[in-house]
Amino acid sequence: MAYCPQCGVEVDQSLSACPLCDSGLQADPPALENRFPRQPELPEMPRMTHERLRGIIWNVVSVLLCTAMITVFCVDMFTDFTLTWSRYPLVSLAAAWCYISLCLSAYRSLLALHIGSLSITGIFLLALDLCNGRLDWFITLSLPLLIAFFVLAGLVILVHGLPTKSWALTIGTGLTSISLFCVVVNMLLNAFRDLSLIPTWALAVVIALLPLELLLFYVHYRVRKKVNLEKIFHL
Amino acid sequence: MPSFSAEPIEPAAGATRDSWYRVDNAGKIFSSLHGKRLTTLFRLSCTLHEPVHVNRLQTALENLQPRFPYFMVQLRPGAFWYYFEHNQQKPLVTADSRYPCLNFAYRSRGLFPFRVRVYHGRISVEYAHALTDGTGGIMFLLALVAEYLRLSGIEAEEKPEWLMTAEQTPHPEESEDAFRRYYQSEIPTPPPEENAFHLPFDLEPYGIYHIITGIVPVGDIKSRAKDFGVSITELLIATYLDAFQQVLQTLPARQRQRLKRPIRLDIPVNLRPFFPSRTMRNFFLPVLPAIDPRLGHYEFEDILQKVHHVMGSEIDRKHLLQQMARNVQAERRWTTRAVPLLIKDRVLSLAYDQIAQKRTSSGLSNLGLVTLPPRLEAAVERFDFIPPPPTSRRVNCGVIGFRDSLNITFGRTCGETLVEEAFFRRLTSLGIRVKVESN
């Protein structure tokens, strides 16, 4: 008979090592000295955990960005005695700090990252537009573009998270989103320049991508069953 | 790490690749608890007289897969709740470690919410509480041990009805959420309890879980309980409350005054005898016996009488229905159901640690006396029950009996052993012999 001296278990004689711990085997059953194995599962906890590392990165980044903001603010104030050009770098640095904080705190959840970055980008663009003292392009151009981008990107993320996802479905949805986004961009730019709303160059993109999208959806749905929506959305 | 081959397997009878199960009412909270320390894993072990043959145990585990399709699952996140999805992998027997019930990322894709571990003659199963409770866990362990012994040539002469075997077909009721069946919406919910006394000791670094087991002769404790006119569980609860009272009294005066709050225990009650169900999912509710040190010192006999009356009045179908109504109503409220899982995870984790755990000083779970058919019983040395690692409560207690021994196991995440010392000293002062061992 063959026994593992570490685990104390009997194993098949045909084996040369314990299937649990890879130790060499012995012929006699080992004596039970302790009720539990002496070695813990993890030899030692690493000193630098991911949480701690993220905390340090956040602290360093916060100090650096704050220093840069104070410097920019002071230079502008000392030269012009009012806030002029420094509004733009101040808004940009604040947005950078928000993005970094979001990535460090919500890096595990794609949905949280998506919603968080939507909010930060919206506020950032609004603040940039307001730096002139009035709203020029935020409401008419950047806000609709932003919403369109995040809705379509959200669609791709949602599809990617489905249990029945496949590479064909994800790429197909991504290409469809690109087509739709081009149409929206084309229409919004036309509207902003007081031209006709009918898309022009975006149609070329849509027509070029359509066969590939259809092919990818065909590949996915030919081999895949329907998604069990009850499983995902049961209340 | 070397291991058995982990080829994907075909779904069990009655389960398809698309099979999925709702998480039960209690499991919904446990599945949302994140954080390394809140593992919610509890362990049930059976120690055989002979070293375990590891390949045979692996075969026994595989043979049981069709019998327990609702255990052969993986925990997956939905939009609003977690659910169990059929797992195509094969559960593998793994090596044991010094500190049980830790380091098991069972929420990861492809992992089972339980694991089977082996050391010398001991077969241990560690369950995520989202999957099952102690009763469901012990049924699975007994089935695994019986199948292993059958493969080793030891078969029961007559299989009792309650013993689940590989050749049986799973009953649909075994995977039901029995809380939903018996819940009555019109019952008013009970008022919440105030916060309880907690041991003021520092947590050990993550990865350490101290286990102390006291082995007590059933005859000794039974006769003492009989003398007092209480049950064994009531005697153990009273001893545990008394141990906490003693620890409180050893604290420095200022700290004692600051921490003086009711000493309240969380005693899970198996609901199956009151509300018949074959469910292998969670089906228990807590009863909360307590003493309030602000009212003065309690003699041991006073605590015993108080516990006896509380257990008598609270372990009652109507009272349990009221507790059930509170838990299920919270789950079924639209404001709860419609909250995305991402937010629920955070809120439930925080609420469990900061509200639910703070209402009780510790937990004591008694699984009762385990029995096996005589031939199988002869091959078994003992059973053990290790409770889930506590966080804010610092210490939990699990009790299980087999033949003439009662194994009382304390799981502790702080360095101080004051509670265990006071507990076992009280037992010995009552004339009950105690043999203590630890990890």
Side-chain angles (χ1 to χ4, degrees):
Chain A
M1 292 212 249
Y3 296 89
C4 168
Q6 296 297 324
C7 306
V9 293
E10 190 185 344
V11 298
D12 275 350
Q13 272 198 314
S14 57
L15 298 176
S16 57
C18 173
L20 303 178
C21 68
D22 208 21
S23 298
L25 303 175
Q26 64 184 44
D28 302 316
L32 177 64
E33 287 165 6
N34 296 297
R35 288 285 306 156
F36 287 85
R38 283 300 85 192
Q39 75 281 10
E41 198 163 24
L42 293 177
E44 241 182 55
M45 281 301 291
R47 278 184 193 169
M48 182 67 79
T49 61
H50 286 294
E51 281 81 357
R52 192 147 175 244
L53 184 64
R54 279 188 288 126
I56 291 170
I57 291 172
W58 188 83
N59 285 338
V60 170
V61 166
S62 298
V63 169
L64 287 176
L65 289 178
C66 271
T67 313
M69 286 168 86
I70 291 165
T71 310
V72 166
F73 177 82
C74 291
V75 169
D76 199 12
M77 285 301 282
F78 284 130
T79 51
D80 299 334
F81 301 105
T82 180
L83 279 182
T84 52
W85 56 267
S86 66
R87 289 175 194 167
Y88 297 96
L90 282 174
V91 167
S92 307
L93 287 168
W97 181 81
C98 292
Y99 281 123
I100 290 166
S101 302
L102 177 74
C103 292
L104 289 173
S105 60
Y107 69 102
R108 280 186 182 151
S109 164
L110 210 53
L111 186 67
L113 280 175
H114 187 67
I115 294 169
S117 54
L118 167 68
S119 317
I120 295 168
T121 311
I123 295 166
F124 173 54
L125 290 172
L126 175 67
L128 269 188
D129 202 9
L130 282 172
C131 285
N132 291 334
R134 62 182 188 279
L135 284 173
D136 286 328
W137 42 264
F138 177 74
I139 301 289
T140 49
L141 194 63
S142 66
L143 184 64
L145 274 176
L146 186 67
I147 291 171
F149 177 79
F150 275 91
V151 166
L152 293 169
L155 180 72
V156 178
I157 291 169
L158 192 71
V159 167
H160 182 70
L162 288 176
T164 52
K165 69 172 179 190
S166 68
W167 60 270
L169 182 66
T170 309
I171 297 173
T173 315
L175 291 177
T176 311
S177 299
I178 290 170
S179 301
L180 289 172
F181 187 65
C182 286
V183 171
V184 173
V185 170
N186 198 177
M187 288 171 75
L188 284 170
L189 283 175
N190 285 353
F192 191 66
R193 292 155 60 197
D194 293 328
L195 299 175
S196 160
L197 274 180
I198 298 166
T200 49
W201 56 266
L203 287 177
V205 179
V206 171
I207 292 164
L209 290 178
L210 190 63
L212 191 55
E213 289 161 20
L214 291 174
L215 177 70
L216 288 166
F217 288 131
Y218 177 74
V219 168
H220 174 76
Y221 285 105
R222 193 171 175 270
V223 290
R224 293 265 168 180
K225 287 181 193 169
K226 280 187 180 173
V227 181
N228 185 347
L229 288 177
E230 196 201 349
K231 181 166 78 177
I232 311 298
F233 292 102
H234 74 276
L235 279 165
Chain B
M1 174 118 176
S3 196
F4 299 100
S5 96
E7 300 131 11
I9 49 130
E10 283 304 308
T16 65
R17 285 187 195 284
D18 291 331
S19 288
W20 68 282
Y21 305 89
R22 285 169 189 271
V23 177
D24 61 76
N25 174 262
K28 279 195 166 112
I29 296 177
F30 292 127
S31 55
S32 278
L33 301 182
H34 286 266
K36 285 185 296 184
R37 288 182 184 273
L38 269 175
T39 66
T40 76
L41 290 171
F42 64 93
R43 173 195 276 224
L44 290 162
S45 316
C46 172
T47 307
L48 307 177
H49 289 298
E50 299 296 325
V52 172
H53 190 292
V54 71
N55 306 78
R56 207 178 293 146
L57 181 63
Q58 180 62 39
T59 310
L61 185 58
E62 287 167 28
N63 290 351
L64 283 181
Q65 277 190 284
R67 178 66 189 84
F68 295 93
Y70 40 82
F71 274 22
M72 303 303 150
V73 290
Q74 52 186 328
L75 188 67
R76 302 300 309 147
F80 301 103
W81 297 111
Y82 285 95
Y83 60 89
F84 287 118
E85 189 178 61
H86 171 71
N87 192 343
Q88 292 182 9
Q89 307 299 315
K90 194 164 72 172
L92 301 175
V93 175
T94 54
D96 208 348
S97 69
R98 180 168 182 181
Y99 301 114
C101 305
L102 296 174
N103 302 312
F104 183 34
Y106 60 86
R107 286 183 186 84
S108 309
R109 193 183 282 271
L111 287 187
F112 293 86
F114 70 93
R115 62 179 169 186
V116 178
R117 311 180 84 180
V118 61
Y119 181 65
H120 285 258
R122 184 175 62 218
I123 301 168
S124 307
V125 189
E126 290 178 0
Y127 302 92
H129 227 319
L131 180 71
T132 186
D133 60 6
T135 308
I138 200 79
M139 295 308 289
F140 180 75
L141 176 66
L142 291 179
L144 180 63
V145 170
E147 180 64 12
Y148 170 79
L149 291 175
R150 188 187 70 78
L151 294 175
S152 309
I154 305 169
E155 202 160 357
E157 49 289 280
E158 211 172 294
K159 279 175 191 154
E161 205 182 311
W162 50 263
L163 186 64
M164 298 166 120
T165 53
E167 61 269 18
Q168 292 169 343
T169 314
H171 194 284
E173 206 178 291
E174 288 171 14
S175 60
E176 76 163 346
D177 178 1
F179 288 106
R180 278 184 171 234
R181 174 146 56 120
Y182 287 105
Y183 151 73
Q184 293 177 11
S185 58
E186 64 277 11
I187 294 180
T189 57
E193 293 82 17
E194 62 176 313
N195 283 355
F197 164 69
H198 273 202
L199 296 173
F201 306 133
D202 290 338
L203 275 171
E204 288 279 33
Y206 172 74
I208 295 178
Y209 187 31
H210 299 291
I211 303 297
I212 291 188
T213 302
I215 303 167
V216 172
V218 172
D220 284 15
I221 197 162
K222 205 172 180 177
S223 67
R224 288 307 282 151
K226 202 176 170 187
D227 294 343
F228 288 117
V230 298
S231 68
I232 292 178
T233 308
E234 287 165 0
L235 180 65
L236 291 172
I237 295 167
T239 312
Y240 204 20
L241 285 169
D242 181 57
F244 268 90
Q245 182 179 239
Q246 287 184 44
V247 172
L248 180 66
Q249 282 163 356
T250 59
L251 297 175
R254 283 184 68 181
Q255 194 181 22
R256 189 168 62 233
Q257 275 313 114
R258 191 165 49 83
L259 295 173
K260 223 177 216 182
R261 279 194 289 268
I263 300 169
R264 190 180 298 115
L265 295 183
D266 177 350
I267 312 294
V269 175
N270 176 21
L271 297 180
R272 293 165 184 85
F274 303 93
F275 307 98
S277 171
R278 291 168 186 256
T279 187
M280 293 285 283
R281 298 249 176 255
N282 287 299
F283 197 37
F284 69 94
L285 280 171
V287 167
L288 308 171
I291 55 171
D292 193 342
R294 292 172 299 189
L295 308 180
H297 178 77
Y298 286 80
E299 294 301 327
F300 184 66
E301 286 74 14
D302 301 338
I303 302 176
L304 262 176
Q305 287 311 310
K306 199 168 163 60
V307 168
H308 181 62
H309 289 299
V310 168
M311 297 298 279
S313 63
E314 291 201 7
I315 303 182
D316 158 71
R317 201 183 145 91
K318 287 191 176 61
H319 186 267
L320 293 171
L321 273 172
Q322 195 184 21
Q323 301 280 337
M324 202 186 293
R326 174 174 59 187
N327 295 355
V328 183
Q329 273 176 22
E331 178 207 328
R332 291 179 72 94
R333 225 171 271 142
W334 269 102
T335 45
T336 315
R337 294 158 78 177
V339 175
L341 185 65
L342 193 74
I343 298 167
K344 262 191 205 126
D345 270 355
R346 270 66 188 169
V347 174
L348 283 176
S349 271
L350 200 69
Y352 183 79
D353 203 36
Q354 295 300 316
I355 302 169
Q357 291 274 288
K358 294 216 163 150
R359 299 255 159 88
T360 49
S361 309
S362 180
L364 185 149
S365 182
N366 185 358
L367 290 184
L369 206 62
V370 178
T371 51
L372 276 169
R375 266 193 213 164
L376 305 188
E377 197 170 297
V380 175
E381 184 191 324
R382 62 190 270 185
F383 278 87
D384 286 279
F385 170 31
I386 297 178
T391 48
S392 51
R393 299 200 300 203
R394 301 292 192 271
V395 64
N396 274 338
C397 179
V399 182
I400 194 166
F402 179 65
R403 281 204 294 253
D404 51 358
S405 291
L406 198 66
N407 288 10
I408 305 164
T409 302
F410 290 92
R412 180 170 38 85
T413 47
C414 60
E416 290 76 2
T417 55
L418 295 176
V419 173
E420 293 97 312
E421 280 172 38
F423 183 92
F424 289 126
R425 275 194 196 137
R426 171 62 71 187
L427 286 187
T428 48
S429 75
L430 294 173
I432 299 165
R433 289 166 290 165
V434 183
K435 185 186 156 200
V436 175
E437 52 189 43
S438 79
N439 65 341

